[in-house]
Amino acid sequence: MNRSLEDYLKNIYSIQPISGRVTTSLLADKLNISAAAVSEMVSKLSGKGYIKNIPYKGFELTKKGEAIAINLVRKHRIWEVFLLKHLNYPWDKVHSEAENLEHSSSDELILRLDKFLDYPKFDPHGHPIPDKEGNISPDKTIPAADLKSGDTAVIKQVSDENPEVLIYLSKAGLKLNDEIKVIEKINFDNSLSIHFKSGNIFLSEKLAKNIFVRKK
Amino acid sequence: MNRSLEDYLKNIYSIQPISGRVTTSLLADKLNISAAAVSEMVSKLSGKGYIKNIPYKGFELTKKGEAIAINLVRKHRIWEVFLLKHLNYPWDKVHSEAENLEHSSSDELILRLDKFLDYPKFDPHGHPIPDKEGNISPDKTIPAADLKSGDTAVIKQVSDENPEVLIYLSKAGLKLNDEIKVIEKINFDNSLSIHFKSGNIFLSEKLAKNIFVRKK
DNA sequence: TTAATAAATTAAGTATACCTAAGTTTGTTT
DNA sequence: AAACAAACTTAGGTATACTTAATTTATTAA
């Protein structure tokens, strides 16, 4: 297992829940490489038993592949907690730094770091942290983009892949566990006008798709 | 700069003070790869201005190459302090874990970690930690193997590359800054019989070459 | 039911970092 | 000064992970 293979598995894992079986082009897009390169690596990963591939149809992780992906997610999220809480890293920068650290830390290191952090349950963006056996609490959130006018909800997660989203939310003063109420959903562009304790703000559809909430 | 090139520079840096100009075979030995591979990479590093190479004669780091090597040493040693002091890693395991982390942490991360650790001056094995400008305090220690019968000295550094050395010293109860006195140096095999606060122990020549002291 | 199109795969080629084997240079030894 | 051995470099080859271009497969639309 090297960094490249690990990145494939991790990204397959992150696409899977959204689109069921993963396709070559979807993964190529996510990894920003050619479909041809993905196609080759998919055969390789399949040969090693990390994924189950049906040529021309798509592929999905095996238990073995999923275990590796979840372990990486665990390492990533534990590092994020450390960076934010102990090194005072800003919200929007922990993701890219953890992206490197996750591939360079042994299971023992993560076990010790987890203990040092007192076994956090969520990362700074609200994502659950898998335990060392790979158990992860199921995601019950929905994108804020799915809310309707008048809905009340609590912000539970924020996508960490686009620092701009995090920067915008910080500036607006929106935090995890804040309660929001949809004043109006504009059907023309699917944008939302929302109210929360520090005032009103506007969320574009794209932004609202990166914020995950639990309805009240 | 990738991991491989970084490892070349770091290892050239570590050989340089011992043997002046570094040779192909010396580095091949250290990196555990063929002399041919080193020869190729030396041309490459030379072309990029990281080392100055005189074919068939040897090579040495340029200022540019040295800066990169020192920065890696800094990262390595800062990680070692963190692992030992905050994650309670055993003395003999911090080196190999830091070996990976040093290549996966940005300068900003190390700056923040350095602050978190309150700017340590030495790593757990007594090696000085370079500051962010690359300044590093000169090494004034000598190998314990150079001591003579009757000499008194203080242990200042221990080589961290062989975990066995560290395990042996831990078991014997010898720590950094302990004062030792040479009871006898046996000329036949260059071994030492030494006395320190917890009793007497025996150091083979090989062991004594991995322990660095300051004479009283 | 075939033709068009989109997606996936295969083929051929590149860069990196290694290898072994062969050839070259250096310094020593006689 | 020639011969020798050790050290070094070059040549040719491999695996990995990518590229673009060509081909194959699957789907959709006429």
Side-chain angles (χ1 to χ4, degrees):
Chain A
M1 234 342 79
N2 58 29
R3 160 129 204 195
S4 174
L5 297 189
E6 283 181 355
D7 274 332
Y8 274 89
L9 297 180
K10 202 183 68 153
N11 282 284
I12 294 169
Y13 179 77
S14 83
I15 294 172
Q16 243 175 215
I18 305 164
S19 66
R21 194 182 281 131
V22 180
T23 62
T24 303
S25 49
L26 228 43
L27 187 51
D29 230 64
K30 192 113 204 284
L31 294 171
N32 242 292
I33 56 178
S34 70
V38 170
S39 203
E40 274 177 356
M41 285 294 270
V42 159
S43 306
K44 185 171 178 177
L45 287 165
S46 181
K48 294 195 178 196
Y50 295 121
I51 64 179
K52 192 168 157 276
N53 182 34
I54 305 175
Y56 292 100
K57 291 294 176 56
F59 43 89
E60 56 191 9
L61 294 173
T62 59
K63 281 280 159 229
K64 183 178 160 188
E66 193 186 60
I68 291 171
I70 290 176
N71 196 223
L72 282 166
V73 167
R74 170 173 156 80
K75 289 180 178 183
H76 182 99
R77 293 179 182 170
I78 286 177
W79 272 120
E80 284 194 345
V81 174
F82 173 72
L83 294 173
L84 186 111
K85 285 184 72 171
H86 293 276
L87 302 193
N88 302 308
Y89 250 87
W91 210 24
D92 57 295
K93 286 187 178 172
V94 297
H95 177 75
S96 67
E97 196 77 58
E99 204 69 14
N100 292 318
L101 292 168
E102 67 185 16
H103 299 284
S104 310
S105 16
S106 69
D107 289 351
E108 181 179 358
L109 170 52
I110 295 302
L111 212 60
R112 287 174 182 272
L113 188 57
D114 194 27
K115 184 180 178 188
F116 172 81
L117 298 170
D118 202 21
Y119 309 105
K121 292 266 175 297
F122 297 93
D123 80 6
H125 313 101
H127 302 116
I129 298 175
D131 69 18
K132 66 177 194 294
E133 275 78 35
N135 303 304
I136 178 165
S137 52
D139 185 6
K140 288 166 193 148
T141 62
I142 58 166
D146 290 0
L147 294 174
K148 309 265 172 280
S149 291
D151 281 351
T152 303
V154 176
I155 298 181
K156 283 292 169 189
Q157 279 180 22
V158 185
S159 159
D160 55 359
E161 281 174 38
N162 303 79
E164 306 79 38
V165 174
L166 300 173
I167 292 167
Y168 179 79
L169 292 182
S170 294
K171 277 193 190 152
L174 260 185
K175 294 187 198 61
L176 292 185
N177 295 312
D178 278 1
E179 187 172 307
I180 60 171
K181 181 171 179 160
V182 179
I183 302 172
E184 194 185 357
K185 173 159 186 175
I186 296 114
N187 286 322
F188 170 63
D189 62 358
N190 289 315
S191 65
L192 299 170
S193 196
I194 66 159
H195 176 82
F196 73 114
K197 67 172 184 296
S198 322
N200 289 359
I201 65 163
F202 172 83
L203 300 180
S204 68
E205 183 184 19
K206 197 174 170 193
L207 198 54
K209 281 184 171 169
N210 282 282
I211 299 169
F212 299 85
V213 302
R214 195 165 299 155
K215 248 181 162 170
K216 277 242 155 173
Chain B
M1 239 334 88
N2 58 27
R3 160 128 204 196
S4 174
L5 296 190
E6 284 182 353
D7 274 330
Y8 273 87
L9 297 180
K10 203 183 67 154
N11 282 285
I12 294 169
Y13 179 76
S14 82
I15 295 172
Q16 243 175 216
I18 306 165
S19 66
R21 195 183 279 132
V22 179
T23 63
T24 304
S25 49
L26 229 44
L27 188 52
D29 230 63
K30 192 112 204 282
L31 294 170
N32 241 291
I33 56 179
S34 70
V38 171
S39 201
E40 275 176 355
M41 286 295 270
V42 159
S43 306
K44 186 171 177 178
L45 287 166
S46 181
K48 294 193 176 195
Y50 295 120
I51 63 179
K52 192 168 158 273
N53 181 34
I54 305 175
Y56 292 99
K57 294 292 176 59
F59 42 88
E60 55 191 9
L61 294 172
T62 59
K63 280 280 159 228
K64 183 178 161 190
E66 191 186 59
I68 290 170
I70 290 177
N71 197 223
L72 282 166
V73 167
R74 170 174 155 82
K75 290 180 177 183
H76 183 100
R77 294 180 180 170
I78 286 178
W79 273 120
E80 284 194 344
V81 173
F82 173 71
L83 295 173
L84 186 111
K85 286 184 73 170
H86 293 276
L87 302 193
N88 303 308
Y89 250 88
W91 209 23
D92 56 295
K93 286 188 176 171
V94 297
H95 177 76
S96 69
E97 197 76 61
E99 203 68 15
N100 292 317
L101 292 168
E102 68 185 18
H103 299 285
S104 310
S105 16
S106 69
D107 289 351
E108 182 180 359
L109 170 52
I110 295 302
L111 212 59
R112 288 174 181 271
L113 188 56
D114 193 26
K115 184 180 178 186
F116 173 81
L117 298 170
D118 202 19
Y119 310 105
K121 293 267 174 295
F122 297 93
D123 80 6
H125 313 102
H127 303 116
I129 298 176
D131 68 19
K132 66 178 197 290
E133 274 77 35
N135 303 305
I136 178 166
S137 52
D139 185 6
K140 286 167 197 149
T141 61
I142 58 166
D146 290 0
L147 295 174
K148 309 266 173 281
S149 290
D151 282 351
T152 303
V154 175
I155 298 182
K156 283 293 169 188
Q157 280 180 21
V158 185
S159 160
D160 55 359
E161 281 175 35
N162 303 78
E164 306 81 36
V165 174
L166 300 173
I167 291 167
Y168 179 79
L169 291 182
S170 295
K171 279 191 187 152
L174 259 186
K175 294 187 197 63
L176 291 185
N177 295 312
D178 278 359
E179 187 172 306
I180 60 172
K181 180 170 179 159
V182 179
I183 302 173
E184 194 185 358
K185 172 158 189 177
I186 295 115
N187 285 322
F188 169 65
D189 62 358
N190 289 316
S191 63
L192 299 169
S193 195
I194 65 160
H195 176 81
F196 74 114
K197 65 173 184 298
S198 321
N200 289 359
I201 66 165
F202 172 83
L203 300 179
S204 68
E205 183 185 18
K206 198 173 168 193
L207 198 54
K209 280 185 171 168
N210 282 281
I211 299 169
F212 299 84
V213 302
R214 195 165 299 154
K215 249 181 163 169
K216 276 240 156 174

